[in-house]
Amino acid sequence: AGAPRRIGERDVAPLYSPGDTLITWYEERIRSEKDLYYDPVYVDDRWYWNFLKMNGSTSYFQSEFFATDVADASGVMKTKAYGPYNYARYQNTATYLVNSVVAGSISWVVPYGYNPSSMRILEAAVSNIVEGRNVFGVSKPVDNEMYIFWYEIFYHRLLRASQGALSFGVPERERRARYELAGFPAGEKLLFDVTVDEDPVLCTGWQSVSGGLIFEDSLQGRPRRYAAVSRTAFRKGDLSYASVPSLRDESACPDMVILYHEDFRDAALALK
């Protein structure tokens, strides 16, 4: 009942004088996690990626991650360590590497049996993130053993669109910021403040430049998230049709026709 809700708008036009600070990159997050092996007793979510065994040949683990539009080489690596569970108060140590350079080490002791409080989170600064292929590695002593669950890489990524879209966040700052976004195809572009998911705001007044846009906005002492997208990058559903002479003809068609939506993997069923 009542008037329908409409999306709000806010003017983010760049001023004649530049903002208090020019923001050229944001912190991109890469998370790698694979549920390849099942352990219903000793793992918190019952799944893990790999297990480096004691006194075996599995003393090293590595995984590739790819960084794009890298602004500089600095970043942060984050991961979780745990294991083993079948040795009483056994000492464990693991060393983590990014591109063959040690990022940090962690030690932990696990009492006999499953004990989630013994899990350890390591967060370490790195300074060698490169454009394209990077390698995350874990090394342990031969007489230790451990689970591999997941890792995260945070790096400084330029404000450059990928496939016509860019979503980024900025931390809390008591100042007005200027943003220069690039990498968009020609045509109409839209900019939203999506700090509050259920209440997005359409940003207007920004300045269009070749391949991108420029805007300024006050952070007002709070973090903000933005989403910019070109009109051509919006998803458009593609339907595949099954053609039959008549749905009334029992011999010419099946009991139902499936219309398959490629983007969202939904199937719309048209029953006879």
Side-chain angles (χ1 to χ4, degrees):
R5 294 187 63 188
R6 301 295 184 188
I7 188 170
E9 296 186 10
R10 188 172 73 254
D11 184 17
V12 294
L15 304 177
Y16 290 107
S17 59
D20 295 329
T21 182
L22 174 63
I23 295 180
T24 59
W25 57 264
Y26 69 99
E27 191 172 65
E28 177 69 289
R29 170 178 172 265
I30 298 174
R31 181 180 177 92
S32 291
E33 178 178 5
K34 295 183 180 179
D35 292 337
L36 298 183
Y37 301 99
Y38 183 71
D39 186 336
V41 179
Y42 298 109
V43 178
D44 54 348
D45 65 354
R46 301 190 178 191
W47 292 93
Y48 63 97
W49 189 344
N50 210 325
F51 186 65
L52 302 184
K53 299 178 182 179
M54 182 179 66
N55 297 326
S57 59
T58 53
S59 292
Y60 186 77
F61 170 86
Q62 74 174 34
S63 168
E64 295 182 350
F65 65 91
F66 290 84
T68 59
D69 297 313
V70 176
D72 58 66
S74 59
V76 172
M77 180 217 70
K78 187 176 181 180
T79 189
K80 179 172 72 172
Y82 179 65
Y85 55 82
N86 54 353
Y87 295 95
R89 304 201 62 79
Y90 193 82
Q91 179 73 39
N92 294 268
T93 301
T95 299
Y96 295 87
L97 307 94
V98 173
N99 295 330
S100 301
V101 177
V102 173
S105 299
I106 190 171
S107 298
W108 68 98
V109 175
V110 181
Y112 186 83
Y114 176 56
N115 187 354
S117 64
S118 298
M119 295 182 181
R120 294 291 181 266
I121 298 292
L122 173 65
E123 186 171 316
V126 297
S127 58
N128 59 337
I129 303 294
V130 299
E131 182 77 19
R133 177 182 178 272
N134 294 261
V135 178
F136 166 86
V138 184
S139 177
K140 71 165 184 65
V142 174
D143 59 350
N144 285 195
E145 64 182 32
M146 64 180 294
Y147 285 103
I148 304 294
F149 295 103
W150 52 264
Y151 69 90
E152 293 180 339
I153 301 293
F154 300 84
Y155 74 96
H156 298 170
R157 185 180 185 277
L158 296 171
L159 293 174
R160 186 172 296 157
S162 175
Q163 298 181 340
L166 175 63
S167 178
F168 64 98
V170 289
E172 175 181 339
R173 296 181 184 179
E174 291 287 352
R175 58 183 64 184
R176 183 177 179 85
R178 184 182 183 96
Y179 307 85
E180 297 183 1
L181 280 52
F184 291 88
E188 183 183 2
K189 293 176 284 291
L190 297 169
L191 175 66
F192 299 93
D193 180 339
V194 291
T195 303
V196 181
D197 291 329
E198 64 273 18
D199 190 20
V201 177
L202 177 65
C203 297
T204 61
W206 44 265
Q207 177 184 338
S208 181
V209 295
S210 178
L213 57 94
I214 297 174
F215 72 97
E216 291 184 13
D217 200 10
S218 173
L219 299 178
Q220 299 177 346
R222 62 179 296 185
R224 287 193 182 276
R225 289 190 298 115
Y226 299 96
V229 61
S230 64
R231 177 73 70 177
T232 56
F234 280 127
R235 283 189 172 184
K236 301 177 180 63
D238 294 325
L239 296 180
S240 298
Y241 298 93
S243 177
V244 296
S246 171
L247 292 178
R248 295 177 180 274
D249 188 346
E250 190 70 33
S251 61
C253 69
D255 290 336
M256 63 183 70
V257 177
I258 298 179
L259 304 181
Y260 188 70
H261 195 296
E262 180 65 25
D263 276 355
F264 300 99
R265 304 296 191 268
D266 287 339
L269 305 181
L271 300 180
K272 264 200 334 183

